Amino acid sequence: MHTVEEFTDQCPYCGETILLLIDTSAGSRHYIEDCSVCCKPIQVLVSVDMEGQWQVQLKHENDT
């Protein structure tokens, strides 16, 4: 079963508010998604704990 949640935050490059759709059923993961405003690549880090609570962090492409 796929559970898609809406997540709103600011782009780490341009500072504009962006909306991402997060598939919380896929567990913790890391991927790159382009900003819908400035088109720069954003690192998206999704963490899902054992209770199903999820968190998302957005970072510059080259941040560690």
Side-chain angles (χ1 to χ4, degrees):
M1 178 167 118
H2 290 283
T3 304
V4 177
E5 302 283 346
E6 289 186 353
F7 175 75
T8 304
D9 202 352
Q10 291 181 317
C11 171
Y13 293 98
C14 68
E16 292 293 326
T17 300
I18 57 172
L19 173 70
L20 300 175
L21 297 177
I22 306 296
D23 180 359
T24 58
S25 66
S28 298
R29 67 202 174 288
H30 170 227
Y31 61 95
I32 302 290
E33 185 163 326
D34 291 341
C35 173
S36 58
V37 178
C38 71
C39 300
K40 300 228 177 181
I42 302 168
Q43 285 190 66
V44 180
L45 295 92
V46 179
S47 300
V48 181
D49 66 17
M50 297 297 282
E51 288 82 36
Q53 299 296 317
W54 55 276
Q55 293 182 335
V56 178
Q57 290 181 312
L58 304 181
K59 296 183 177 184
H60 285 225
E61 179 185 30
N62 296 321
D63 285 351
T64 56

